[in-house]
Amino acid sequence: MPSAAQAPPTAVHEGHLAVGLGSDTGAFHGGASGTLYGLYGPGVPTGNLVEGMGLRTVSTKAQDGPQHPGADALEVVGPLADSTGGDVYVYLTDIHRGFPYRWPGSTPEEKLGLYKERIAEQVDQILRLPERYRHHIVLVPFNEPEGNMFGTGEWSYDGVGWLDDPAGYFAAWDDVHGFVRGRMPGARIAGPNTSVLYDQVKGFLTHTLAAGTLPDVVTWHELSHPESVRESVARYRAWERELFRGTDREGTRLPVNINEYAFNYHTSVPGQMIQWVSAIEECKVDADIAYWNIAGNLSDSAVQANRGNGQWWLLHCYASMSGHTVRVSPPFPGENYTLRGVATLDEPKRQARLLFGGSAGAARIAFTDVPREVFGNRVHAWVREIEWSGQLGDSAGPRLLTETDLEVGDDGAVAFGFGDGGVLPGLRESSAYEIVLSPAGGARGTQSPPVRWQASYEAEDAAHTGAGYSRNGPEGSPQDVSRFYTSGGHHVGGLRTGSDVVLDFTVDVPEDGTYGLSVFANSLNTCDRVAEQGPTNVFLRVDGAADGEQELYLPLGHKWAVWDHTDTEVRLTEGRHTLTLAARSLDGTRATRGDAVVDRLVLSLPEASAATRVYEGELAWLGGGARPVYDLPRQATASPATGSGAARLAKDQTATFWVHAPADREATVRVDTLGGAGARLSVNGHDVLRLGERTGAVAVSLSGGINKVTLTGGSSTTLVDRVTVTPSRGTLPARTYEARTAGLAGSATLTPLSLATGGTAITGIGGAPGNDSTAAFTVAADRTGLHALRVRYANPEQAEATHYNPDPLARHADITVNGGGARRVAFPHTFHRNNFWELTVAVRLEKGPNTITFRAEELPNFDGAGYASDTFPDVPLRSRHAPLIDSITVAPYAGPANTPAGLPSPTDPLMNTVGTTGFEPATP
């Protein structure tokens, strides 16, 4: 295993980031993990994605507001509070539609009076929440007041802009503040929520301090650049010190939430977002990523219901930090779009973590003042790259670049060289990077990087022939942050219905092998050419040969230049080759249908062991007082222990691992321990294994994307070395039932669709409240117990957008097993009726035949007395329908793997614990 290059930690120079582990800049805050309109409702996204990124704050619309479908405040507060204990900031203004908000009334007094009536409805509904959720609500009375209700436009309060004359706004703020507190004593209120931190906000603070209406949380937006966060927070804190001096608030620092930050060019891109994260963490404030695109995807972090892109993994690594932050000295302080980082030191855990990025090429990363009392004379280091996977592209997680032990220098430094003679590759501007340090410890084994070689090829550099070709761009850049990040700044079009375009990419590969190929591409889901088929099909050839030609279906998106990737494999020999994407098959019998743009190709040569992913115990999320240990027992050091140590779990202490699965499928989960027995292993909230001594393994039906795997200590203290996850098949026999096998009632019917596995899908399930449209499948189970129900579905429903946000709707199905209680499952938008995704639900089946039934209807408003369609008949806000169902697959949820130690029998109660409704209560 190569070690990282050492470099002296002297003065900061170009490409040199210095991390001072001897400093302490305050407790780790984690505030950058927030989102605007990022939660659609229960299950979209899953609790795994919410918890795994440490989501702290969500700004969203008032309950039952018409501004956008979904994201109703009182429907998302439960999932958020249960997952992370985070807070929901309620944009009360979003009880109205339009932007600027169209609030009714012909006089200022009437406008404010009618608005207060709507606020009263919201507050009364909040008071009906369980107390454990009420405490997680923060009310935002006015959003961007200077350009909306208190601007000078058509819907202004009195036609006078606050920024010129604040009297009207200040009076309304005081009125609403007192009104809310009178109805809900102790309510937290946030403001002023301006679009930037105007100088006039100082006047707002002066007034509210004197009037006794000071907000509990100070909020504004930073839709500019990362450095503006540092500048604005410093300016606000100076006002606070000045205004509070000599009052009973002297020395107080109010919480700050910058509740909209970053642009399209930044979101989803780890190398861009780390610059914002570092500024937000440095300022110790909360912040919510802006909502430029679709609701319910964690502000361009989530893919489908349960998958994360590169940005999600960046925020997951950020949420994995603990202890206190330390000083990070960048090469160009005060400048945007340069190398930046955030770092922590947790002395009790004996770990340091650094996240950095924002530049390309060579860099030196130096940890200085490494405390020997924490780390000893040698450190163990993991260095990983968090790659950009596209706005809508699933990511398997940070990619290991090296794992090694390093000496702490005489000057107390450890350094890493990237590019320009360093052992590690040069930085990429779209990537962020993670370095974790621990003591070298007693373990001996290390992981090998899963990718031996990788290269990227821009579509605009490919040779091309045929009519209709276009080179498009430039897309997003620091000069135009409103546009989307695109590799190389350009992309190409021409692969569309009726064209004969051919793109030829020249590639050089280092050796014979089977290479992974990712095509970064996009088709706009509402484009006329895409309407018929959905995903655009193209033809992939190697060196012009018809033999092995593949038909690929390129992904859909909600706007042009919103990137996802289609993945396949190609067999290549050492040397130069031509990879072709064409609009026609080589024999001319098949042609492209749709319209796609292509950004780039990525070729990778994986290691033979790359399919098995390893999760070290000492790097797990530890709970209940569990700690890593590095001084391993004597007998353990002679074992194949890996990493630097292990996680020590006493009774009821936990170690949680966030495990990626590329598909909804079976995998074998193996736990290697260094002693102890009786710990319980759960996957996505379901207990699947009780550990014996040393090793236990179990086959589990994983959900595609992020799986929460937790070990809970038993009566005997357990040392957890690692968890490994390997794809497997056949251990958990799966049965698939096509749409045509279901019994249909009411308006449910079979509809031909070309990409459905059986050629048809079920449409028309659902309708008005009380409808009788259902689909019922009869499925077989070999034994009684918990099973994975994998639903292959499509959801094309989309509302007409109010402005720049596409407004797709999530659909839901109420699923019953054998006539028992219903389980409501949400299905996010798939961008087309012919574009199918999978979603796994845990169900309890009885041995023999079982009936699984799907139904749906429009759901009522929060008060249960009305429906959105009654109040807003022309604005689809809640779907009436279940998704289109292509097929369902049923497999045992878990079962014995091919390892004898510690395995439960098929009747082990851990593998069959269920509720009385046929559904497990604990789900992602």
Side-chain angles (χ1 to χ4, degrees):
M1 176 63 56
S3 62
Q6 296 283 332
T10 53
V12 174
H13 57 78
E14 182 172 343
H16 188 150
L17 195 76
V19 181
L21 293 185
S23 61
D24 184 344
T25 59
F28 174 70
H29 186 66
S33 294
T35 174
L36 175 66
Y37 272 80
L39 303 183
Y40 190 98
V44 179
T46 64
N48 283 354
L49 290 187
V50 172
E51 183 181 357
M53 68 177 273
L55 187 62
R56 282 177 58 93
T57 55
V58 171
S59 295
T60 198
K61 76 175 188 184
Q63 180 66 34
D64 302 322
Q67 185 69 260
H68 301 283
D72 295 88
L74 307 189
E75 295 173 26
V76 304
V77 65
L80 178 64
D82 290 344
S83 294
T84 66
D87 289 334
V88 169
Y89 285 67
V90 185
Y91 276 22
L92 292 172
T93 43
D94 285 24
I95 199 66
H96 298 299
R97 191 159 170 84
F99 197 81
Y101 302 105
R102 300 193 290 265
W103 61 332
S106 57
T107 66
E109 294 76 19
E110 185 180 16
K111 288 179 178 181
L112 190 60
L114 292 172
Y115 184 44
K116 285 165 62 178
E117 290 180 9
R118 305 306 305 273
I119 292 175
E121 294 171 3
Q122 289 288 302
V123 172
D124 290 347
Q125 290 176 336
I126 292 168
L127 291 172
R128 291 201 294 271
L129 287 173
E131 184 176 0
R132 69 181 186 277
Y133 295 148
R134 290 202 301 269
H135 297 306
H136 295 279
I137 294 288
V138 183
L139 299 177
V140 184
F142 303 105
N143 176 41
E144 298 188 359
E146 76 286 353
N148 275 285
M149 293 174 164
F150 300 93
T152 58
E154 176 185 0
W155 299 97
S156 169
Y157 174 71
D158 58 4
V160 177
W162 162 39
L163 299 181
D164 297 319
D165 182 353
Y169 173 54
F170 288 177
W173 172 271
D174 292 345
D175 191 347
V176 170
H177 189 283
F179 178 73
V180 170
R181 283 283 172 82
R183 210 170 188 96
M184 184 180 173
R188 284 186 291 162
I189 299 173
N193 229 65
T194 47
S195 56
V196 299
L197 186 68
Y198 293 103
D199 289 338
Q200 287 88 339
V201 173
K202 183 179 180 182
F204 169 82
L205 295 171
T206 303
H207 167 81
T208 56
L209 180 64
T213 58
L214 195 69
D216 300 283
V217 185
V218 176
T219 55
W220 70 86
H221 305 162
E222 290 290 354
L223 301 175
S224 50
H225 53 77
E227 279 303 308
S228 66
V229 173
R230 292 180 173 90
E231 296 162 359
S232 294
V233 172
R235 188 155 51 107
Y236 165 73
R237 292 299 186 199
W239 293 343
E240 199 176 52
R241 289 191 297 273
E242 175 188 342
L243 297 175
F244 291 176
R245 188 177 301 122
T247 75
D248 59 358
R249 293 201 176 253
E250 184 167 1
T252 301
R253 289 164 59 95
L254 291 177
V256 167
N257 189 341
I258 299 172
N259 52 3
E260 296 185 30
Y261 80 89
F263 272 101
N264 280 325
Y265 175 64
H266 309 117
T267 59
S268 85
V269 188
Q272 296 299 323
M273 292 301 291
I274 183 57
Q275 300 171 69
W276 289 93
V277 170
S278 66
I280 291 162
E281 182 61 38
E282 183 178 312
C283 295
K284 305 300 182 188
V285 298
D286 289 329
D288 299 343
I289 307 169
Y291 165 47
W292 298 114
N293 296 297
I294 59 179
N297 75 345
L298 298 172
S299 296
D300 301 326
S301 303
V303 176
Q304 302 181 25
N306 191 51
R307 298 173 182 269
N309 62 15
Q311 176 172 289
W312 186 90
W313 282 103
L314 169 69
L315 295 174
H316 169 75
C317 292
Y318 176 58
S320 301
M321 290 178 151
S322 59
H324 62 84
T325 51
V326 298
R327 186 186 311 109
V328 177
S329 301
F332 300 104
E335 294 188 23
N336 288 295
Y337 306 107
T338 58
L339 189 61
R340 285 286 188 173
V342 57
T344 55
L345 175 63
D346 189 325
E347 284 94 344
K349 288 178 67 174
R350 301 175 70 188
Q351 287 182 7
R353 290 177 178 261
L354 167 68
L355 290 170
F356 65 98
S359 68
R364 292 291 183 272
I365 310 300
F367 291 83
T368 64
D369 300 320
V370 177
R372 295 181 191 273
E373 66 275 15
V374 174
F375 294 97
N377 295 323
R378 290 176 62 81
V379 298
H380 191 85
W382 293 265
V383 183
R384 298 187 177 98
E385 181 179 8
I386 308 167
E387 299 173 284
W388 177 63
S389 59
Q391 289 83 358
L392 298 173
D394 183 31
S395 169
R399 179 167 66 94
L400 182 69
L401 299 179
T402 189
E403 180 186 353
T404 187
D405 287 347
L406 297 170
E407 295 287 344
V408 179
D410 293 340
D411 55 1
V414 174
F416 302 82
F418 290 81
D420 194 21
V423 172
L424 296 165
L427 303 183
R428 294 192 284 186
E429 67 168 9
S430 61
S431 293
Y433 297 82
E434 178 191 45
I435 298 177
V436 182
L437 301 182
S438 75
R444 295 293 179 263
T446 59
Q447 299 176 48
S448 297
V451 175
R452 298 169 62 189
W453 175 90
Q454 186 181 81
S456 179
Y457 303 88
E458 299 295 337
E460 61 268 30
D461 296 335
H464 61 89
T465 59
Y469 169 88
S470 62
R471 183 178 187 269
N472 308 316
E475 295 294 341
S477 68
Q479 292 73 44
D480 189 356
V481 293
S482 66
R483 300 176 72 87
F484 293 103
Y485 180 88
T486 297
S487 178
H490 292 78
H491 54 89
V492 305
L495 296 171
R496 62 174 65 97
T497 302
S499 82
D500 60 351
V501 166
V502 174
L503 303 178
D504 287 327
F505 296 79
T506 300
V507 304
D508 280 289
V509 298
E511 60 185 87
D512 297 358
T514 299
Y515 288 75
L517 173 65
S518 293
V519 181
F520 280 68
N522 165 245
S523 292
L524 175 62
N525 69 316
T526 57
C527 172
D528 290 343
R529 293 188 181 94
V530 172
E532 180 183 2
Q533 177 173 274
T536 299
N537 61 310
V538 299
F539 302 91
L540 169 67
R541 298 189 283 270
V542 177
D543 296 328
D547 183 34
E549 183 179 59
Q550 300 182 45
E551 185 174 16
L552 303 182
Y553 286 87
L554 302 183
L556 298 169
H558 51 266
K559 296 178 183 178
W560 287 115
V562 173
W563 304 109
D564 192 353
H565 51 86
T566 292
D567 302 326
T568 188
E569 293 181 341
V570 290
R571 180 72 185 174
L572 301 174
T573 56
E574 178 184 355
R576 178 164 294 187
H577 297 274
T578 299
L579 300 183
T580 298
L581 294 179
R584 295 179 182 174
S585 63
L586 200 59
D587 62 8
T589 61
R590 295 169 294 161
T592 288
R593 297 169 65 189
D595 194 349
V597 289
V598 179
D599 181 25
R600 64 171 177 165
L601 304 186
V602 177
L603 269 181
S604 302
L605 180 61
E607 282 284 357
S609 60
T612 294
R613 297 186 67 86
V614 180
Y615 302 86
E616 295 291 349
E618 63 271 33
L619 300 183
W621 287 20
L622 302 179
R627 290 292 182 199
V629 292
Y630 306 97
D631 301 320
L632 299 178
R634 181 182 300 274
Q635 65 272 22
T637 60
S639 74
T642 60
S644 62
R648 183 184 185 277
L649 302 184
K651 184 176 177 58
D652 295 330
Q653 294 178 341
T654 60
T656 296
F657 305 85
W658 301 95
V659 169
H660 175 265
D664 295 68
R665 70 184 191 190
E666 173 190 321
T668 296
V669 179
R670 174 189 170 105
V671 183
D672 290 325
T673 68
L674 306 176
R680 293 180 294 111
L681 176 69
S682 68
V683 175
N684 296 328
H686 312 297
D687 286 342
V688 297
L689 178 67
R690 186 180 293 110
L691 293 184
E693 291 284 347
R694 308 295 291 177
T695 302
V698 62
V700 182
S701 294
L702 295 182
S703 295
I706 308 302
N707 295 267
K708 181 181 178 182
V709 176
T710 301
L711 280 159
T712 302
S715 56
S716 173
T717 296
T718 302
L719 290 179
V720 182
D721 178 27
R722 61 180 177 175
V723 169
T724 59
V725 181
T726 305
S728 56
R729 57 187 304 174
T731 304
L732 304 175
R735 295 184 173 99
T736 297
Y737 302 87
E738 301 290 351
R740 58 183 165 74
T741 67
L744 307 181
S747 59
T749 188
L750 288 177
T751 298
L753 287 168
S754 62
L755 298 184
T757 54
T760 59
I762 303 169
T763 61
I765 304 172
N771 75 85
D772 61 354
S773 300
T774 60
F777 291 84
T778 300
V779 305
D782 294 332
R783 62 179 175 86
T784 296
L786 194 64
H787 285 69
L789 168 64
R790 300 173 189 139
V791 184
R792 190 170 191 264
Y793 79 96
N795 171 10
E797 192 166 1
Q798 188 162 331
E800 184 176 348
T802 55
H803 38 289
Y804 51 78
N805 294 107
D807 277 342
L809 277 72
R811 289 185 168 186
H812 73 275
D814 290 336
I815 305 175
T816 60
V817 178
N818 298 326
R823 159 83 173 278
R824 183 160 294 149
V825 179
F827 296 83
H829 193 261
T830 68
F831 306 123
H832 196 276
R833 69 201 314 246
N834 202 28
N835 192 41
F836 293 93
W837 295 344
E838 278 196 325
L839 190 111
T840 293
V841 183
V843 298
R844 181 188 188 276
L845 299 180
E846 301 294 332
K847 183 176 181 180
N850 295 262
T851 301
I852 299 176
T853 303
F854 295 78
R855 70 175 308 274
E857 63 182 17
E858 183 183 354
L859 302 179
N861 292 334
F862 185 83
D863 60 9
Y867 293 85
S869 59
D870 297 332
T871 311
F872 307 102
D874 300 324
V875 183
L877 295 172
R878 297 181 188 275
S879 178
R880 294 183 164 199
H881 301 285
L884 287 68
I885 299 176
D886 170 26
S887 64
I888 65 171
T889 299
V890 176
Y893 192 83
N898 295 320
T899 301
L903 292 178
S905 71
T907 57
D908 190 309
L910 277 181
M911 300 182 66
N912 292 277
T913 302
V914 294
T916 59
T917 63
F919 297 95
E920 273 286 320
T923 57

